[in-house]
Amino acid sequence: MHQLASFANIVRCPRCLSDITFAPPAKPRCSNVKCTLNATGFVQVDDQPVLVDFERSIFAPGAYDQNKGYILARENTGRSIRTRVRRFITGRNLVAEKNGGEFLRRLLLFGERPRVLIIGGGAIGDGAQGLYDNADIDIIGTDVYASPFTCAVVDGHHLPFCSEAFHGVWIQAVLEHVLEPHVVAAEIYRVLKSGGLVYSEIPFMQQVHEGAYDFSRFSLSGHRWLFRRFEQLAAGSVGGAGTAFVWSFRYLCRALGAGDRFATLLASAVFYLRFLDRLARHRPNADGASGTYFLGAKSQRTLVPREMVRYYEEQMRP
Ligand SMILES: [Zn+2]
């Protein structure tokens, strides 16, 4: 799945963008002797380099000591009972599956073997499986923890890759967890080739999840502005107002004292309300959507602020 040779060609120091020296068994280190990451080098977890500039990151180096590699307890397979019950309540992300097909179709139109960066790829997201299954694509999986689906631990604010390294970036349900989404979007722009594709999903009407590591929500217009340097190919809701209502009910139960598991159980009694999304009208549904998606291509043209007023009216027209 991962082409480590090409990975080594494009990987760079997250602080100064100099080449990184890989000379096992020594730690990988920045090749620039003036950079402090030359002296300190990069720790490794599960044989994967932690290419994080800790002086500029929310994460502390101690989180990766003793080969731990996990900031939060994660469940990568999606097979735990808890994950399955939650999936039953909120439903499969059919929008992502459709968009993943379109992302793949467009990737294969590049005249060369496409290379795709997955940010937040510790677990394979809804709709992304087709990318992993396609033998004609190189996938570089990254996350803030090491998993069987990643080849490096990175912080999206300072991507450790050379500019214009990728044909596509897939970032799904990640940007709400970063402190500065606009910085991450600028980094995505930098590492994409001209015309390179981004697929992003961000929650809108979802409550806090992942505890201390949850910072932002975006309306469809906010999501568009975040990727204002991209041409929009498609955008819309991921889970409508009905899905958002089921989420709200679960968090109401929690607020009233139900534990997380009991609240999830109680919410399963109203899961069917998410099917109302199928009857919803586009515009009001987007205004109350559970999440939004944006599929775009790196462009030379940037949206100007005034265009955003018209965007709200036009985005939902067929
Ligand atoms: Zn450096």
Side-chain angles (χ1 to χ4, degrees), residues 3-313:
Q3 296 247 325
L4 286 179
S6 68
F7 171 71
N9 287 340
I10 58 173
V11 79
R12 295 289 184 275
C13 172
R15 181 169 304 175
C16 72
L17 293 179
S18 298
D19 290 349
I20 291 178
T21 306
F22 290 92
K27 284 198 287 190
R29 58 186 64 251
C30 175
S31 63
N32 174 5
V33 292
K34 292 180 184 162
C35 177
T36 52
L37 296 174
N38 171 266
T40 59
F42 301 98
V43 297
Q44 303 215 74
V45 290
D46 298 342
D47 296 325
Q48 297 180 25
V50 179
L51 301 174
V52 174
D53 181 357
F54 287 108
E55 280 185 27
R56 298 190 291 171
S57 178
I58 193 171
F59 301 114
Y64 299 96
D65 284 350
Q66 286 111 38
N67 211 27
K68 278 195 300 204
Y70 294 89
I71 302 290
L72 302 161
R74 300 290 189 121
E75 198 276 299
N76 294 331
T77 63
R79 291 195 199 109
S80 78
I81 289 175
R82 199 169 165 193
T83 303
R84 285 182 179 181
V85 171
R86 280 205 188 148
R87 178 153 292 203
F88 171 72
I89 294 169
T90 55
R92 264 171 65 203
N93 185 346
L94 299 173
V95 172
E97 290 177 21
K98 175 172 162 282
N99 290 334
E102 178 63 10
F103 184 80
L104 178 60
R105 185 187 73 77
R106 287 179 178 270
L107 271 180
L108 296 173
L109 296 178
F110 283 98
E112 53 198 30
R113 186 178 174 85
R115 187 189 289 138
V116 177
L117 172 65
I118 313 271
I119 303 176
I124 298 178
D126 287 332
Q129 188 65 51
L131 300 172
Y132 288 85
D133 292 344
N134 195 302
D136 296 326
I137 295 177
D138 289 336
I139 298 278
I140 307 290
T142 65
D143 209 318
V144 298
Y145 64 100
S147 96
F149 308 112
T150 60
C151 45
V153 175
V154 314
D155 180 328
H157 296 88
H158 308 286
L159 290 173
F161 299 103
C162 65
S163 299
E164 305 194 357
F166 297 99
H167 301 83
V169 174
W170 180 277
I171 180 162
Q172 191 174 28
V174 171
L175 285 166
E176 73 270 29
H177 298 300
V178 305
L179 269 174
E180 298 182 83
H182 286 272
V183 171
V184 178
E187 277 291 85
I188 291 171
Y189 186 88
R190 180 183 67 79
V191 301
L192 276 173
K193 294 175 187 290
S194 179
L197 303 169
V198 65
Y199 181 69
S200 165
E201 285 184 7
I202 314 182
F204 178 35
M205 287 292 160
Q206 284 181 14
Q207 286 74 12
V208 165
H209 50 280
E210 309 256 354
Y213 299 91
D214 193 342
F215 305 104
S216 309
R217 297 292 180 271
F218 286 83
S219 66
L220 195 50
S221 290
H223 202 166
R224 178 69 188 100
W225 184 247
L226 187 58
F227 288 101
R228 59 192 173 277
R229 298 173 75 189
F230 291 76
E231 176 196 352
Q232 176 174 307
L233 304 172
S237 308
V238 183
T243 302
F245 185 89
V246 177
W247 267 76
S248 289
F249 185 79
R250 180 154 70 91
Y251 276 72
L252 174 63
C253 295
R254 278 178 45 155
L256 294 175
D260 195 34
R261 284 180 191 181
F262 189 47
T264 300
L265 189 67
L266 290 170
S268 67
V270 296
F271 82 96
Y272 53 87
L273 289 173
R274 67 178 159 82
F275 293 117
L276 293 176
D277 289 342
R278 296 180 186 180
L279 307 174
R281 293 164 58 215
H282 281 320
R283 179 68 264 172
N285 194 44
D287 286 348
S290 178
T292 62
Y293 73 86
F294 177 80
L295 174 64
K298 178 173 175 174
S299 167
Q300 295 303 311
R301 186 180 170 279
T302 304
L303 280 179
V304 297
R306 205 163 294 162
E307 287 178 279
M308 292 309 299
V309 180
R310 198 181 336 142
Y311 178 76
Y312 177 81
E313 300 301 334

